[in-house]
């Protein structure tokens, strides 16, 4: 199931029924279909069905969040999409290229950032990135400028000529991100990219992801830090036990969720809610939580409170939509 949050056109669906999917370009002149399309992907490790039939699309020009508990198959899925693991069944198109039949074409357009970026500790950051740039076919005359620009983009310029072994964990993560970006890929696959980053770096990462989506890139990003994904995602794919999970998307917002209210006059707020017949919970004198159906319900409540002269100063969802949807999945870690 995919969830949509407003930005950009969305063509994708997720279901157990494979949708019709475009193959590689029909003719050499025809541009490939952007984005990611996965159909019934499966991959087992012995008896463990790590990815057990995942079908979804991640459109170009958007950030798609990949969300699921530990062991639900996110990393395995990303490895399959990066062309680094072979699927047992199913297929995936990345930037319009079938990973099975056109693996190299697809991989040339993919930027992959693993959850832990292992690198050559004795080489400098510049040497590492130039090595990858050359592997992607960027010529030596231009790779220097490109690598310098990427290092600046991830705020590692001062480490350009220093060996990778001196980098902290968060700095290594940023070098991993630079590696993923060095060949200007169309599709970014990022596994827990915020892990190990300090608050400023996380904000910069968020801005970077939004900028990449605005440039038309396809960004698929897994993370456990749902509050950070809330700020950046356009669509969400929820996975559990190797399968895509069927949930309602936040755009529909069919279920009630908790909203926190606070007023300069807490007693007046409670009296107002009682008179309006709105159940609330909360400690005496503090804020209260009410269950509302969505933004429109919140707007009506604010309007009624203002009309009743209740000095309301805070109305906010108790948790983010992703967090709420995630917790409502009722799925377990494995
Ligand atoms: N190389 C492997 N050999 C055997 N089992 C594996 C291998 N890789 C993954 N698994 C198993 O596949 C399942 C999915 O693992 P995966 O790493 O894809 O989960 P994940 O969603 O990325 O978890 P996390 O949130 O902890 O990163 C797990 O049960 C894991 O133990
Ligand atoms: Mg993982």
């Amino acid at each position: 199931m995919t969830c949509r949050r407003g930005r950009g056109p969305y063509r994708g669906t997720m279901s157990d029924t494979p949708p019709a999917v475009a193959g590689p370009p029909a003719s050499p002149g025809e541009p490939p279909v952007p984005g990611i399309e996965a159909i019934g992907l499966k991959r087992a490790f012995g008896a463990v069905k790590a990815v057990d039939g995942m079908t979804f699309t991640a459109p170009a020009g958007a950030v798609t969040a990949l969300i699921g508990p530990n062991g639900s198959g996110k990393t395995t899925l990303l490895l399959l999409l990066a062309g680094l693991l072979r699927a047992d069944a199913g297929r995936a198109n990345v930037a319009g290229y079938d990973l099975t039949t056109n693996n190299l074409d697809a991989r040339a357009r993919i930027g992959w950032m693993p959850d832990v970026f292992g690198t050559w500790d004795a080489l400098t950051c510049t040497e590492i990135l130039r090595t990858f740039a050359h592997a992607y076919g960027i010529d030596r005359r231009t790779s220097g400028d490109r690598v310098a620009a990427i290092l600046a983009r991830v705020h590692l310029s001062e480490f350009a000529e220093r060996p990778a072994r001196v980098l902290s964990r968060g700095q290594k993560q940023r070098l991993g991100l630079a590696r993923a970006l060095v060949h200007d890929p169309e599709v970014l696959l990022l596994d827990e990219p915020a892990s190990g980053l300090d608050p400023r770096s996380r904000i910069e990462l968020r801005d970077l992801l939004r900028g990449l989506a605005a440039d038309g890139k396809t960004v698929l990003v897994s993370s456990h830090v749902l509050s950070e994904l809330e700020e950046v995602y356009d669509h969400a794919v929820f996975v559990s036990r190797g399968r895509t999970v069927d949930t309602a998307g936040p755009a529909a917002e069919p279920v009630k969720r908790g909203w926190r209210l606070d007023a300069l006059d807490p007693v007046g707020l409670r009296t107002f809610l009682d008179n309006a017949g709105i159940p609330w919970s909360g400690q005496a004198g503090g804020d209260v939580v009410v269950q509302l159906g969505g933004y429109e319900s919140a707007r009506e409540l604010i309007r009624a409170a203002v009309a009743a002269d209740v000095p309301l100063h805070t109305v906010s969802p108790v948790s983010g939509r992703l967090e709420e949807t995630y917790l409502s999945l009722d799925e377990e870690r494995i």
Side-chain angles (χ1 to χ4, degrees):
M1 170 90 205
T2 51
C3 299
R4 179 182 176 183
R5 202 189 63 159
R7 261 190 296 261
Y10 184 43
R11 304 169 294 110
T13 55
M14 177 179 298
S15 71
D16 289 337
T17 313
V21 168
S27 69
E30 202 174 306
V33 180
I36 300 169
E37 295 169 302
I39 307 107
L41 277 182
K42 292 189 179 185
R43 172 69 199 217
F45 298 104
V48 179
K49 294 175 177 174
V51 169
D52 191 21
M54 290 193 185
T55 298
F56 71 96
T57 63
V63 177
T64 301
L66 180 60
I67 298 164
N70 291 139
S72 56
K74 303 181 296 296
T75 296
T76 308
L77 172 67
L78 289 170
L79 285 167
L80 290 170
L81 294 175
L84 298 171
L85 259 186
R86 191 177 288 275
D88 297 333
R91 57 187 284 231
N93 283 3
V94 177
Y97 292 92
D98 188 309
L99 272 173
T100 311
T101 56
N102 262 322
N103 189 279
L104 283 181
D105 281 326
R107 284 173 66 178
R109 288 158 181 82
I110 294 168
W112 157 245
M113 179 182 177
D115 50 357
V116 178
F117 180 48
T119 185
W120 305 291
D121 277 353
L123 298 189
T124 67
C125 295
T126 297
E127 287 168 339
I128 290 167
L129 293 187
R130 287 192 79 163
T131 303
F132 280 104
H134 298 153
Y136 280 108
I138 299 172
D139 69 61
R140 285 174 193 280
R141 277 179 297 119
T142 52
S143 68
D145 290 346
R146 170 122 198 102
V147 163
I150 293 287
L151 282 171
R153 199 165 181 186
V154 299
H155 305 281
L156 282 178
S157 297
E158 64 180 289
F159 291 93
E161 304 310 327
R162 304 190 63 185
R165 67 170 171 272
V166 308
L167 298 181
S168 72
R169 177 157 175 257
Q171 289 163 344
K172 250 184 195 160
Q173 279 293 96
R174 285 191 269 147
L175 184 62
L177 182 60
R179 195 282 299 259
L181 294 170
V182 77
H183 55 301
D184 192 24
E186 288 171 43
V187 174
L188 270 299
L189 303 172
L190 311 175
D191 198 5
E192 305 280 350
S195 143
L197 297 188
D198 59 40
R200 181 189 294 275
S201 301
R202 286 174 182 228
I203 292 167
E204 286 165 355
L205 174 69
R206 202 175 64 196
D207 294 345
L208 181 70
L209 298 189
R210 284 256 49 92
L212 290 165
D215 289 346
K217 312 287 189 196
T218 305
V219 184
L220 181 61
V221 53
S222 81
S223 177
H224 290 123
V225 190
L226 299 186
S227 57
E228 273 157 22
L229 286 177
E230 295 276 0
E231 300 285 313
V232 77
Y233 86 107
D234 297 296
H235 315 292
V237 175
F238 291 89
V239 296
S240 175
R241 295 179 180 271
R243 299 188 64 82
T244 44
V245 181
D246 193 19
T247 65
E253 206 166 22
V255 288
K256 290 199 168 186
R257 59 203 297 237
W259 287 69
R260 179 166 286 117
L261 312 179
D262 209 353
L264 294 175
D265 175 10
V267 177
L269 173 60
R270 286 160 172 72
T271 307
F272 161 75
L273 292 171
D274 288 341
N275 291 341
I278 300 172
W280 54 269
S281 60
Q283 304 294 325
D287 53 12
V288 298
V289 173
V290 298
Q291 299 296 316
L292 298 176
Y295 289 113
E296 188 53 38
S297 308
R299 199 167 70 90
E300 281 168 18
L301 186 139
I302 293 168
R303 198 164 37 205
V306 169
D309 215 17
V310 177
L312 200 58
H313 62 72
T314 301
V315 179
S316 61
V318 171
S319 57
R321 289 178 165 193
L322 284 178
E323 195 178 1
E324 200 135 317
T325 310
Y326 179 85
L327 294 175
S328 74
L329 293 180
D330 199 25
E331 300 289 339
E332 291 171 9
R333 292 175 292 270
I334 52 175

